[in-house]
PDB file of all heavy atoms in Angstrom:
ATOM      1  N   CYS A   1     -75.564  41.003 -40.186  1.00 96.00           N
ATOM      2  CA  CYS A   1     -77.017  40.756 -40.235  1.00 96.00           C
ATOM      3  C   CYS A   1     -77.494  40.623 -41.678  1.00 96.00           C
ATOM      4  O   CYS A   1     -78.329  39.770 -41.996  1.00 96.00           O
ATOM      5  CB  CYS A   1     -77.764  41.873 -39.517  1.00 96.00           C
ATOM      6  SG  CYS A   1     -77.513  41.911 -37.729  1.00 96.00           S
ATOM      7  N   ARG A   2     -76.957  41.444 -42.548  1.00 96.00           N
ATOM      8  CA  ARG A   2     -77.321  41.355 -43.964  1.00 96.00           C
ATOM      9  C   ARG A   2     -76.787  40.075 -44.590  1.00 96.00           C
ATOM     10  O   ARG A   2     -77.461  39.424 -45.383  1.00 96.00           O
ATOM     11  CB  ARG A   2     -76.778  42.570 -44.716  1.00 96.00           C
ATOM     12  CG  ARG A   2     -77.478  43.879 -44.384  1.00 96.00           C
ATOM     13  CD  ARG A   2     -76.789  45.045 -45.066  1.00 96.00           C
ATOM     14  NE  ARG A   2     -77.449  46.323 -44.780  1.00 96.00           N
ATOM     15  CZ  ARG A   2     -76.945  47.494 -45.101  1.00 96.00           C
ATOM     16  NH1 ARG A   2     -75.765  47.577 -45.729  1.00 96.00           N
ATOM     17  NH2 ARG A   2     -77.600  48.612 -44.794  1.00 96.00           N
ATOM     18  N   ALA A   3     -75.560  39.690 -44.199  1.00 96.00           N
ATOM     19  CA  ALA A   3     -74.914  38.520 -44.798  1.00 96.00           C
ATOM     20  C   ALA A   3     -75.618  37.220 -44.436  1.00 96.00           C
ATOM     21  O   ALA A   3     -75.698  36.296 -45.257  1.00 96.00           O
ATOM     22  CB  ALA A   3     -73.446  38.457 -44.361  1.00 96.00           C
ATOM     23  N   VAL A   4     -76.145  37.135 -43.199  1.00 95.00           N
ATOM     24  CA  VAL A   4     -76.822  35.901 -42.784  1.00 95.00           C
ATOM     25  C   VAL A   4     -78.309  35.948 -43.109  1.00 95.00           C
ATOM     26  O   VAL A   4     -79.052  35.032 -42.755  1.00 95.00           O
ATOM     27  CB  VAL A   4     -76.607  35.614 -41.283  1.00 95.00           C
ATOM     28  CG1 VAL A   4     -75.124  35.471 -40.984  1.00 95.00           C
ATOM     29  CG2 VAL A   4     -77.243  36.682 -40.402  1.00 95.00           C
ATOM     30  N   ASN A   5     -78.708  37.029 -43.763  1.00 91.00           N
ATOM     31  CA  ASN A   5     -80.091  37.207 -44.206  1.00 91.00           C
ATOM     32  C   ASN A   5     -81.035  37.177 -43.009  1.00 91.00           C
ATOM     33  O   ASN A   5     -80.898  37.971 -42.097  1.00 91.00           O
ATOM     34  CB  ASN A   5     -80.453  36.139 -45.257  1.00 91.00           C
ATOM     35  CG  ASN A   5     -81.653  36.504 -46.090  1.00 91.00           C
ATOM     36  OD1 ASN A   5     -82.214  37.594 -45.945  1.00 91.00           O
ATOM     37  ND2 ASN A   5     -82.066  35.616 -46.968  1.00 91.00           N
ATOM     38  N   GLU A   6     -81.985  36.262 -42.974  1.00 91.00           N
ATOM     39  CA  GLU A   6     -82.967  36.244 -41.897  1.00 91.00           C
ATOM     40  C   GLU A   6     -82.649  35.201 -40.816  1.00 91.00           C
ATOM     41  O   GLU A   6     -83.509  34.889 -39.999  1.00 91.00           O
ATOM     42  CB  GLU A   6     -84.358  35.994 -42.473  1.00 91.00           C
ATOM     43  CG  GLU A   6     -84.835  37.120 -43.389  1.00 91.00           C
ATOM     44  CD  GLU A   6     -86.249  36.902 -43.896  1.00 91.00           C
ATOM     45  OE1 GLU A   6     -86.858  35.870 -43.545  1.00 91.00           O
ATOM     46  OE2 GLU A   6     -86.744  37.762 -44.641  1.00 91.00           O
ATOM     47  N   PHE A   7     -81.428  34.685 -40.814  1.00 96.00           N
ATOM     48  CA  PHE A   7     -81.074  33.707 -39.791  1.00 96.00           C
ATOM     49  C   PHE A   7     -81.055  34.409 -38.430  1.00 96.00           C
ATOM     50  O   PHE A   7     -80.447  35.475 -38.286  1.00 96.00           O
ATOM     51  CB  PHE A   7     -79.711  33.087 -40.080  1.00 96.00           C
ATOM     52  CG  PHE A   7     -79.488  31.786 -39.363  1.00 96.00           C
ATOM     53  CD1 PHE A   7     -79.901  30.593 -39.926  1.00 96.00           C
ATOM     54  CD2 PHE A   7     -78.902  31.767 -38.117  1.00 96.00           C
ATOM     55  CE1 PHE A   7     -79.716  29.390 -39.256  1.00 96.00           C
ATOM     56  CE2 PHE A   7     -78.706  30.572 -37.434  1.00 96.00           C
ATOM     57  CZ  PHE A   7     -79.116  29.378 -38.009  1.00 96.00           C
ATOM     58  N   PRO A   8     -81.704  33.843 -37.409  1.00 97.00           N
ATOM     59  CA  PRO A   8     -81.805  34.502 -36.098  1.00 97.00           C
ATOM     60  C   PRO A   8     -80.437  34.858 -35.516  1.00 97.00           C
ATOM     61  O   PRO A   8     -79.527  34.024 -35.489  1.00 97.00           O
ATOM     62  CB  PRO A   8     -82.528  33.457 -35.244  1.00 97.00           C
ATOM     63  CG  PRO A   8     -83.322  32.657 -36.228  1.00 97.00           C
ATOM     64  CD  PRO A   8     -82.462  32.578 -37.449  1.00 97.00           C
ATOM     65  N   LEU A   9     -80.307  36.087 -35.041  1.00 98.00           N
ATOM     66  CA  LEU A   9     -79.008  36.574 -34.576  1.00 98.00           C
ATOM     67  C   LEU A   9     -79.153  37.358 -33.279  1.00 98.00           C
ATOM     68  O   LEU A   9     -80.017  38.223 -33.155  1.00 98.00           O
ATOM     69  CB  LEU A   9     -78.363  37.437 -35.654  1.00 98.00           C
ATOM     70  CG  LEU A   9     -76.938  37.920 -35.388  1.00 98.00           C
ATOM     71  CD1 LEU A   9     -76.137  37.946 -36.684  1.00 98.00           C
ATOM     72  CD2 LEU A   9     -76.940  39.306 -34.750  1.00 98.00           C
ATOM     73  N   VAL A  10     -78.284  37.042 -32.315  1.00 98.00           N
ATOM     74  CA  VAL A  10     -78.235  37.722 -31.021  1.00 98.00           C
ATOM     75  C   VAL A  10     -76.952  38.543 -30.954  1.00 98.00           C
ATOM     76  O   VAL A  10     -75.862  38.027 -31.205  1.00 98.00           O
ATOM     77  CB  VAL A  10     -78.232  36.705 -29.859  1.00 98.00           C
ATOM     78  CG1 VAL A  10     -78.144  37.434 -28.520  1.00 98.00           C
ATOM     79  CG2 VAL A  10     -79.462  35.827 -29.910  1.00 98.00           C
ATOM     80  N   ALA A  11     -77.075  39.810 -30.598  1.00 98.00           N
ATOM     81  CA  ALA A  11     -75.898  40.643 -30.346  1.00 98.00           C
ATOM     82  C   ALA A  11     -75.542  40.521 -28.867  1.00 98.00           C
ATOM     83  O   ALA A  11     -76.420  40.519 -28.005  1.00 98.00           O
ATOM     84  CB  ALA A  11     -76.190  42.095 -30.703  1.00 98.00           C
ATOM     85  N   ILE A  12     -74.239  40.427 -28.578  1.00 97.00           N
ATOM     86  CA  ILE A  12     -73.809  40.243 -27.197  1.00 97.00           C
ATOM     87  C   ILE A  12     -72.518  41.016 -26.940  1.00 97.00           C
ATOM     88  O   ILE A  12     -71.729  41.234 -27.854  1.00 97.00           O
ATOM     89  CB  ILE A  12     -73.603  38.741 -26.877  1.00 97.00           C
ATOM     90  CG1 ILE A  12     -73.314  38.525 -25.387  1.00 97.00           C
ATOM     91  CG2 ILE A  12     -72.500  38.130 -27.754  1.00 97.00           C
ATOM     92  CD1 ILE A  12     -73.341  37.066 -24.965  1.00 97.00           C
ATOM     93  N   GLY A  13     -72.328  41.423 -25.690  1.00 96.00           N
ATOM     94  CA  GLY A  13     -71.086  42.064 -25.293  1.00 96.00           C
ATOM     95  C   GLY A  13     -71.240  43.531 -24.964  1.00 96.00           C
ATOM     96  O   GLY A  13     -71.390  44.349 -25.860  1.00 96.00           O
ATOM     97  N   GLY A  14     -71.244  43.861 -23.669  1.00 95.00           N
ATOM     98  CA  GLY A  14     -71.293  45.249 -23.238  1.00 95.00           C
ATOM     99  C   GLY A  14     -72.587  45.970 -23.540  1.00 95.00           C
ATOM    100  O   GLY A  14     -72.613  47.198 -23.616  1.00 95.00           O
ATOM    101  N   ILE A  15     -73.672  45.228 -23.678  1.00 97.00           N
ATOM    102  CA  ILE A  15     -74.951  45.843 -24.054  1.00 97.00           C
ATOM    103  C   ILE A  15     -75.698  46.313 -22.808  1.00 97.00           C
ATOM    104  O   ILE A  15     -75.837  45.589 -21.820  1.00 97.00           O
ATOM    105  CB  ILE A  15     -75.802  44.867 -24.881  1.00 97.00           C
ATOM    106  CG1 ILE A  15     -75.097  44.575 -26.208  1.00 97.00           C
ATOM    107  CG2 ILE A  15     -77.198  45.432 -25.137  1.00 97.00           C
ATOM    108  CD1 ILE A  15     -75.757  43.521 -27.056  1.00 97.00           C
ATOM    109  N   ASP A  16     -76.186  47.551 -22.869  1.00 96.00           N
ATOM    110  CA  ASP A  16     -76.936  48.133 -21.766  1.00 96.00           C
ATOM    111  C   ASP A  16     -78.147  48.892 -22.324  1.00 96.00           C
ATOM    112  O   ASP A  16     -78.432  48.824 -23.530  1.00 96.00           O
ATOM    113  CB  ASP A  16     -76.052  49.047 -20.908  1.00 96.00           C
ATOM    114  CG  ASP A  16     -75.384  50.152 -21.725  1.00 96.00           C
ATOM    115  OD1 ASP A  16     -75.943  50.576 -22.762  1.00 96.00           O
ATOM    116  OD2 ASP A  16     -74.294  50.608 -21.320  1.00 96.00           O
ATOM    117  N   GLN A  17     -78.837  49.606 -21.445  1.00 94.00           N
ATOM    118  CA  GLN A  17     -80.055  50.310 -21.877  1.00 94.00           C
ATOM    119  C   GLN A  17     -79.760  51.396 -22.909  1.00 94.00           C
ATOM    120  O   GLN A  17     -80.608  51.703 -23.746  1.00 94.00           O
ATOM    121  CB  GLN A  17     -80.758  50.926 -20.668  1.00 94.00           C
ATOM    122  CG  GLN A  17     -81.475  49.901 -19.808  1.00 94.00           C
ATOM    123  CD  GLN A  17     -82.185  50.555 -18.642  1.00 94.00           C
ATOM    124  OE1 GLN A  17     -81.900  50.269 -17.494  1.00 94.00           O
ATOM    125  NE2 GLN A  17     -83.114  51.440 -18.936  1.00 94.00           N
ATOM    126  N   GLU A  18     -78.561  51.962 -22.847  1.00 95.00           N
ATOM    127  CA  GLU A  18     -78.222  53.063 -23.755  1.00 95.00           C
ATOM    128  C   GLU A  18     -77.912  52.591 -25.167  1.00 95.00           C
ATOM    129  O   GLU A  18     -78.170  53.302 -26.130  1.00 95.00           O
ATOM    130  CB  GLU A  18     -77.030  53.856 -23.201  1.00 95.00           C
ATOM    131  CG  GLU A  18     -77.375  54.778 -22.038  1.00 95.00           C
ATOM    132  CD  GLU A  18     -77.760  54.024 -20.781  1.00 95.00           C
ATOM    133  OE1 GLU A  18     -77.095  53.025 -20.456  1.00 95.00           O
ATOM    134  OE2 GLU A  18     -78.738  54.429 -20.116  1.00 95.00           O
ATOM    135  N   ASN A  19     -77.336  51.396 -25.305  1.00 96.00           N
ATOM    136  CA  ASN A  19     -76.913  50.967 -26.647  1.00 96.00           C
ATOM    137  C   ASN A  19     -77.684  49.781 -27.217  1.00 96.00           C
ATOM    138  O   ASN A  19     -77.445  49.376 -28.357  1.00 96.00           O
ATOM    139  CB  ASN A  19     -75.409  50.645 -26.656  1.00 96.00           C
ATOM    140  CG  ASN A  19     -75.030  49.554 -25.654  1.00 96.00           C
ATOM    141  OD1 ASN A  19     -75.778  48.623 -25.407  1.00 96.00           O
ATOM    142  ND2 ASN A  19     -73.830  49.672 -25.079  1.00 96.00           N
ATOM    143  N   ALA A  20     -78.612  49.221 -26.445  1.00 97.00           N
ATOM    144  CA  ALA A  20     -79.353  48.044 -26.917  1.00 97.00           C
ATOM    145  C   ALA A  20     -80.142  48.340 -28.193  1.00 97.00           C
ATOM    146  O   ALA A  20     -80.139  47.545 -29.138  1.00 97.00           O
ATOM    147  CB  ALA A  20     -80.296  47.539 -25.826  1.00 97.00           C
ATOM    148  N   ARG A  21     -80.791  49.488 -28.224  1.00 96.00           N
ATOM    149  CA  ARG A  21     -81.622  49.823 -29.389  1.00 96.00           C
ATOM    150  C   ARG A  21     -80.780  49.909 -30.665  1.00 96.00           C
ATOM    151  O   ARG A  21     -81.234  49.508 -31.732  1.00 96.00           O
ATOM    152  CB  ARG A  21     -82.362  51.136 -29.154  1.00 96.00           C
ATOM    153  CG  ARG A  21     -83.330  51.500 -30.278  1.00 96.00           C
ATOM    154  CD  ARG A  21     -84.098  52.770 -29.976  1.00 96.00           C
ATOM    155  NE  ARG A  21     -84.961  52.611 -28.816  1.00 96.00           N
ATOM    156  CZ  ARG A  21     -86.164  52.063 -28.866  1.00 96.00           C
ATOM    157  NH1 ARG A  21     -86.651  51.643 -30.018  1.00 96.00           N
ATOM    158  NH2 ARG A  21     -86.897  51.966 -27.770  1.00 96.00           N
ATOM    159  N   SER A  22     -79.545  50.406 -30.549  1.00 97.00           N
ATOM    160  CA  SER A  22     -78.696  50.537 -31.730  1.00 97.00           C
ATOM    161  C   SER A  22     -78.363  49.170 -32.327  1.00 97.00           C
ATOM    162  O   SER A  22     -78.209  49.035 -33.538  1.00 97.00           O
ATOM    163  CB  SER A  22     -77.412  51.299 -31.396  1.00 97.00           C
ATOM    164  OG  SER A  22     -76.625  50.601 -30.452  1.00 97.00           O
ATOM    165  N   CYS A  23     -78.259  48.157 -31.475  1.00 98.00           N
ATOM    166  CA  CYS A  23     -78.000  46.793 -31.964  1.00 98.00           C
ATOM    167  C   CYS A  23     -79.201  46.254 -32.726  1.00 98.00           C
ATOM    168  O   CYS A  23     -79.061  45.617 -33.778  1.00 98.00           O
ATOM    169  CB  CYS A  23     -77.668  45.870 -30.797  1.00 98.00           C
ATOM    170  SG  CYS A  23     -76.130  46.248 -29.953  1.00 98.00           S
ATOM    171  N   LEU A  24     -80.389  46.494 -32.203  1.00 97.00           N
ATOM    172  CA  LEU A  24     -81.604  46.043 -32.876  1.00 97.00           C
ATOM    173  C   LEU A  24     -81.801  46.799 -34.190  1.00 97.00           C
ATOM    174  O   LEU A  24     -82.208  46.217 -35.195  1.00 97.00           O
ATOM    175  CB  LEU A  24     -82.809  46.225 -31.955  1.00 97.00           C
ATOM    176  CG  LEU A  24     -82.777  45.425 -30.649  1.00 97.00           C
ATOM    177  CD1 LEU A  24     -83.957  45.799 -29.764  1.00 97.00           C
ATOM    178  CD2 LEU A  24     -82.778  43.928 -30.918  1.00 97.00           C
ATOM    179  N   GLU A  25     -81.482  48.073 -34.182  1.00 97.00           N
ATOM    180  CA  GLU A  25     -81.620  48.866 -35.399  1.00 97.00           C
ATOM    181  C   GLU A  25     -80.608  48.448 -36.466  1.00 97.00           C
ATOM    182  O   GLU A  25     -80.849  48.596 -37.660  1.00 97.00           O
ATOM    183  CB  GLU A  25     -81.457  50.350 -35.077  1.00 97.00           C
ATOM    184  CG  GLU A  25     -82.634  50.919 -34.290  1.00 97.00           C
ATOM    185  CD  GLU A  25     -82.418  52.354 -33.843  1.00 97.00           C
ATOM    186  OE1 GLU A  25     -81.260  52.845 -33.939  1.00 97.00           O
ATOM    187  OE2 GLU A  25     -83.397  52.991 -33.391  1.00 97.00           O
ATOM    188  N   ALA A  26     -79.476  47.885 -36.023  1.00 97.00           N
ATOM    189  CA  ALA A  26     -78.470  47.388 -36.967  1.00 97.00           C
ATOM    190  C   ALA A  26     -78.892  46.063 -37.597  1.00 97.00           C
ATOM    191  O   ALA A  26     -78.264  45.617 -38.559  1.00 97.00           O
ATOM    192  CB  ALA A  26     -77.130  47.220 -36.262  1.00 97.00           C
ATOM    193  N   GLY A  27     -79.942  45.444 -37.041  1.00 97.00           N
ATOM    194  CA  GLY A  27     -80.458  44.219 -37.641  1.00 97.00           C
ATOM    195  C   GLY A  27     -80.510  43.014 -36.734  1.00 97.00           C
ATOM    196  O   GLY A  27     -81.022  41.963 -37.127  1.00 97.00           O
ATOM    197  N   ALA A  28     -79.956  43.111 -35.514  1.00 98.00           N
ATOM    198  CA  ALA A  28     -80.009  41.980 -34.590  1.00 98.00           C
ATOM    199  C   ALA A  28     -81.452  41.698 -34.184  1.00 98.00           C
ATOM    200  O   ALA A  28     -82.263  42.617 -34.047  1.00 98.00           O
ATOM    201  CB  ALA A  28     -79.167  42.263 -33.351  1.00 98.00           C
ATOM    202  N   ASP A  29     -81.765  40.424 -34.001  1.00 97.00           N
ATOM    203  CA  ASP A  29     -83.109  40.038 -33.561  1.00 97.00           C
ATOM    204  C   ASP A  29     -83.257  40.139 -32.051  1.00 97.00           C
ATOM    205  O   ASP A  29     -84.363  40.263 -31.525  1.00 97.00           O
ATOM    206  CB  ASP A  29     -83.402  38.593 -33.980  1.00 97.00           C
ATOM    207  CG  ASP A  29     -83.352  38.409 -35.481  1.00 97.00           C
ATOM    208  OD1 ASP A  29     -84.278  38.879 -36.159  1.00 97.00           O
ATOM    209  OD2 ASP A  29     -82.370  37.827 -35.970  1.00 97.00           O
ATOM    210  N   SER A  30     -82.122  40.076 -31.353  1.00 98.00           N
ATOM    211  CA  SER A  30     -82.149  39.999 -29.896  1.00 98.00           C
ATOM    212  C   SER A  30     -80.851  40.561 -29.343  1.00 98.00           C
ATOM    213  O   SER A  30     -79.829  40.586 -30.036  1.00 98.00           O
ATOM    214  CB  SER A  30     -82.307  38.530 -29.476  1.00 98.00           C
ATOM    215  OG  SER A  30     -82.282  38.371 -28.074  1.00 98.00           O
ATOM    216  N   VAL A  31     -80.898  41.009 -28.091  1.00 98.00           N
ATOM    217  CA  VAL A  31     -79.682  41.440 -27.394  1.00 98.00           C
ATOM    218  C   VAL A  31     -79.521  40.607 -26.132  1.00 98.00           C
ATOM    219  O   VAL A  31     -80.452  40.455 -25.352  1.00 98.00           O
ATOM    220  CB  VAL A  31     -79.703  42.943 -27.046  1.00 98.00           C
ATOM    221  CG1 VAL A  31     -79.581  43.775 -28.309  1.00 98.00           C
ATOM    222  CG2 VAL A  31     -80.964  43.333 -26.274  1.00 98.00           C
ATOM    223  N   ALA A  32     -78.329  40.047 -25.961  1.00 98.00           N
ATOM    224  CA  ALA A  32     -78.012  39.303 -24.750  1.00 98.00           C
ATOM    225  C   ALA A  32     -77.432  40.273 -23.727  1.00 98.00           C
ATOM    226  O   ALA A  32     -76.537  41.058 -24.053  1.00 98.00           O
ATOM    227  CB  ALA A  32     -77.015  38.196 -25.059  1.00 98.00           C
ATOM    228  N   VAL A  33     -77.945  40.220 -22.518  1.00 98.00           N
ATOM    229  CA  VAL A  33     -77.551  41.185 -21.490  1.00 98.00           C
ATOM    230  C   VAL A  33     -77.226  40.454 -20.195  1.00 98.00           C
ATOM    231  O   VAL A  33     -77.956  39.559 -19.769  1.00 98.00           O
ATOM    232  CB  VAL A  33     -78.679  42.221 -21.244  1.00 98.00           C
ATOM    233  CG1 VAL A  33     -78.217  43.264 -20.229  1.00 98.00           C
ATOM    234  CG2 VAL A  33     -79.088  42.893 -22.546  1.00 98.00           C
ATOM    235  N   ILE A  34     -76.120  40.876 -19.581  1.00 97.00           N
ATOM    236  CA  ILE A  34     -75.708  40.283 -18.309  1.00 97.00           C
ATOM    237  C   ILE A  34     -75.628  41.373 -17.239  1.00 97.00           C
ATOM    238  O   ILE A  34     -76.542  41.567 -16.454  1.00 97.00           O
ATOM    239  CB  ILE A  34     -74.364  39.540 -18.442  1.00 97.00           C
ATOM    240  CG1 ILE A  34     -74.428  38.503 -19.581  1.00 97.00           C
ATOM    241  CG2 ILE A  34     -74.020  38.834 -17.119  1.00 97.00           C
ATOM    242  CD1 ILE A  34     -73.113  37.782 -19.845  1.00 97.00           C
ATOM    243  N   SER A  35     -74.509  42.110 -17.211  1.00 96.00           N
ATOM    244  CA  SER A  35     -74.247  43.074 -16.139  1.00 96.00           C
ATOM    245  C   SER A  35     -75.341  44.117 -15.981  1.00 96.00           C
ATOM    246  O   SER A  35     -75.727  44.458 -14.857  1.00 96.00           O
ATOM    247  CB  SER A  35     -72.907  43.777 -16.378  1.00 96.00           C
ATOM    248  OG  SER A  35     -71.844  42.859 -16.324  1.00 96.00           O
ATOM    249  N   ALA A  36     -75.834  44.648 -17.091  1.00 97.00           N
ATOM    250  CA  ALA A  36     -76.817  45.728 -17.023  1.00 97.00           C
ATOM    251  C   ALA A  36     -78.111  45.282 -16.364  1.00 97.00           C
ATOM    252  O   ALA A  36     -78.877  46.112 -15.856  1.00 97.00           O
ATOM    253  CB  ALA A  36     -77.106  46.275 -18.419  1.00 97.00           C
ATOM    254  N   LEU A  37     -78.364  43.977 -16.328  1.00 98.00           N
ATOM    255  CA  LEU A  37     -79.547  43.452 -15.652  1.00 98.00           C
ATOM    256  C   LEU A  37     -79.249  42.998 -14.227  1.00 98.00           C
ATOM    257  O   LEU A  37     -80.091  43.118 -13.337  1.00 98.00           O
ATOM    258  CB  LEU A  37     -80.123  42.260 -16.421  1.00 98.00           C
ATOM    259  CG  LEU A  37     -80.795  42.539 -17.762  1.00 98.00           C
ATOM    260  CD1 LEU A  37     -81.200  41.220 -18.414  1.00 98.00           C
ATOM    261  CD2 LEU A  37     -82.001  43.435 -17.602  1.00 98.00           C
ATOM    262  N   LEU A  38     -78.036  42.481 -14.006  1.00 98.00           N
ATOM    263  CA  LEU A  38     -77.754  41.748 -12.769  1.00 98.00           C
ATOM    264  C   LEU A  38     -76.962  42.498 -11.717  1.00 98.00           C
ATOM    265  O   LEU A  38     -76.907  42.060 -10.560  1.00 98.00           O
ATOM    266  CB  LEU A  38     -76.999  40.450 -13.102  1.00 98.00           C
ATOM    267  CG  LEU A  38     -77.639  39.507 -14.117  1.00 98.00           C
ATOM    268  CD1 LEU A  38     -76.714  38.314 -14.344  1.00 98.00           C
ATOM    269  CD2 LEU A  38     -79.020  39.044 -13.686  1.00 98.00           C
ATOM    270  N   LYS A  39     -76.322  43.610 -12.081  1.00 96.00           N
ATOM    271  CA  LYS A  39     -75.372  44.219 -11.143  1.00 96.00           C
ATOM    272  C   LYS A  39     -76.026  44.746  -9.868  1.00 96.00           C
ATOM    273  O   LYS A  39     -75.361  44.895  -8.847  1.00 96.00           O
ATOM    274  CB  LYS A  39     -74.573  45.321 -11.826  1.00 96.00           C
ATOM    275  CG  LYS A  39     -75.387  46.452 -12.402  1.00 96.00           C
ATOM    276  CD  LYS A  39     -74.482  47.388 -13.194  1.00 96.00           C
ATOM    277  CE  LYS A  39     -75.272  48.488 -13.887  1.00 96.00           C
ATOM    278  NZ  LYS A  39     -74.398  49.339 -14.714  1.00 96.00           N
ATOM    279  N   ASN A  40     -77.307  45.035  -9.916  1.00 96.00           N
ATOM    280  CA  ASN A  40     -78.051  45.379  -8.702  1.00 96.00           C
ATOM    281  C   ASN A  40     -79.099  44.287  -8.503  1.00 96.00           C
ATOM    282  O   ASN A  40     -80.148  44.300  -9.136  1.00 96.00           O
ATOM    283  CB  ASN A  40     -78.707  46.750  -8.841  1.00 96.00           C
ATOM    284  CG  ASN A  40     -79.463  47.165  -7.587  1.00 96.00           C
ATOM    285  OD1 ASN A  40     -79.716  46.344  -6.700  1.00 96.00           O
ATOM    286  ND2 ASN A  40     -79.840  48.430  -7.506  1.00 96.00           N
ATOM    287  N   SER A  41     -78.805  43.336  -7.623  1.00 96.00           N
ATOM    288  CA  SER A  41     -79.662  42.158  -7.494  1.00 96.00           C
ATOM    289  C   SER A  41     -81.088  42.504  -7.074  1.00 96.00           C
ATOM    290  O   SER A  41     -82.035  41.783  -7.405  1.00 96.00           O
ATOM    291  CB  SER A  41     -79.057  41.168  -6.492  1.00 96.00           C
ATOM    292  OG  SER A  41     -78.929  41.756  -5.215  1.00 96.00           O
ATOM    293  N   ASN A  42     -81.264  43.596  -6.361  1.00 97.00           N
ATOM    294  CA  ASN A  42     -82.597  43.985  -5.909  1.00 97.00           C
ATOM    295  C   ASN A  42     -83.434  44.630  -7.008  1.00 97.00           C
ATOM    296  O   ASN A  42     -84.634  44.829  -6.839  1.00 97.00           O
ATOM    297  CB  ASN A  42     -82.486  44.951  -4.728  1.00 97.00           C
ATOM    298  CG  ASN A  42     -81.919  44.290  -3.488  1.00 97.00           C
ATOM    299  OD1 ASN A  42     -82.218  43.131  -3.210  1.00 97.00           O
ATOM    300  ND2 ASN A  42     -81.086  45.013  -2.754  1.00 97.00           N
ATOM    301  N   ALA A  43     -82.786  44.960  -8.119  1.00 98.00           N
ATOM    302  CA  ALA A  43     -83.490  45.662  -9.198  1.00 98.00           C
ATOM    303  C   ALA A  43     -83.577  44.839 -10.482  1.00 98.00           C
ATOM    304  O   ALA A  43     -83.900  45.376 -11.537  1.00 98.00           O
ATOM    305  CB  ALA A  43     -82.797  46.988  -9.487  1.00 98.00           C
ATOM    306  N   ILE A  44     -83.297  43.532 -10.410  1.00 98.00           N
ATOM    307  CA  ILE A  44     -83.270  42.702 -11.621  1.00 98.00           C
ATOM    308  C   ILE A  44     -84.617  42.708 -12.329  1.00 98.00           C
ATOM    309  O   ILE A  44     -84.691  42.890 -13.551  1.00 98.00           O
ATOM    310  CB  ILE A  44     -82.842  41.266 -11.289  1.00 98.00           C
ATOM    311  CG1 ILE A  44     -81.353  41.251 -10.890  1.00 98.00           C
ATOM    312  CG2 ILE A  44     -83.081  40.346 -12.480  1.00 98.00           C
ATOM    313  CD1 ILE A  44     -80.862  39.902 -10.410  1.00 98.00           C
ATOM    314  N   ALA A  45     -85.692  42.505 -11.607  1.00 98.00           N
ATOM    315  CA  ALA A  45     -87.018  42.467 -12.236  1.00 98.00           C
ATOM    316  C   ALA A  45     -87.347  43.803 -12.869  1.00 98.00           C
ATOM    317  O   ALA A  45     -87.834  43.870 -14.014  1.00 98.00           O
ATOM    318  CB  ALA A  45     -88.083  42.076 -11.202  1.00 98.00           C
ATOM    319  N   GLU A  46     -87.065  44.887 -12.151  1.00 98.00           N
ATOM    320  CA  GLU A  46     -87.384  46.217 -12.676  1.00 98.00           C
ATOM    321  C   GLU A  46     -86.524  46.569 -13.884  1.00 98.00           C
ATOM    322  O   GLU A  46     -87.018  47.141 -14.867  1.00 98.00           O
ATOM    323  CB  GLU A  46     -87.165  47.276 -11.574  1.00 98.00           C
ATOM    324  CG  GLU A  46     -87.679  48.649 -11.945  1.00 98.00           C
ATOM    325  CD  GLU A  46     -89.172  48.665 -12.243  1.00 98.00           C
ATOM    326  OE1 GLU A  46     -89.917  47.937 -11.572  1.00 98.00           O
ATOM    327  OE2 GLU A  46     -89.565  49.400 -13.167  1.00 98.00           O
ATOM    328  N   ARG A  47     -85.250  46.207 -13.846  1.00 97.00           N
ATOM    329  CA  ARG A  47     -84.372  46.468 -14.987  1.00 97.00           C
ATOM    330  C   ARG A  47     -84.833  45.682 -16.215  1.00 97.00           C
ATOM    331  O   ARG A  47     -84.783  46.166 -17.343  1.00 97.00           O
ATOM    332  CB  ARG A  47     -82.925  46.106 -14.645  1.00 97.00           C
ATOM    333  CG  ARG A  47     -82.240  47.106 -13.724  1.00 97.00           C
ATOM    334  CD  ARG A  47     -80.871  46.603 -13.302  1.00 97.00           C
ATOM    335  NE  ARG A  47     -80.206  47.546 -12.413  1.00 97.00           N
ATOM    336  CZ  ARG A  47     -79.337  48.446 -12.804  1.00 97.00           C
ATOM    337  NH1 ARG A  47     -79.024  48.554 -14.082  1.00 97.00           N
ATOM    338  NH2 ARG A  47     -78.766  49.271 -11.932  1.00 97.00           N
ATOM    339  N   THR A  48     -85.276  44.445 -15.983  1.00 98.00           N
ATOM    340  CA  THR A  48     -85.772  43.623 -17.089  1.00 98.00           C
ATOM    341  C   THR A  48     -87.001  44.254 -17.721  1.00 98.00           C
ATOM    342  O   THR A  48     -87.122  44.336 -18.947  1.00 98.00           O
ATOM    343  CB  THR A  48     -86.102  42.206 -16.589  1.00 98.00           C
ATOM    344  OG1 THR A  48     -84.945  41.629 -15.963  1.00 98.00           O
ATOM    345  CG2 THR A  48     -86.531  41.304 -17.744  1.00 98.00           C
TER     346      THR A  48
END
């Protein structure tokens, strides 16, 4: 994040509610999330 300066950066891979904040605090602008949002199809909106 420091090396690319302010170039927009997304962190991806194994990100869930417990570790997402740590990625943003490390400097990422965004977190890409798959399983943590989708694994319970009835709860996708609420998880989001």
Side-chain angles (χ1 to χ4, degrees):
C1 292
R2 290 174 179 170
V4 300
N5 199 3
E6 296 183 359
F7 199 87
L9 186 144
V10 179
I12 187 170
I15 295 174
D16 56 28
Q17 286 181 240
E18 284 68 43
N19 58 35
R21 184 177 296 277
S22 63
C23 294
L24 298 174
E25 289 174 348
D29 299 287
S30 177
V31 290
V33 183
I34 306 176
S35 296
L37 290 176
L38 306 178
K39 59 187 176 183
N40 181 347
S41 60
N42 293 323
I44 291 174
E46 189 59 37
R47 285 173 180 264
T48 304

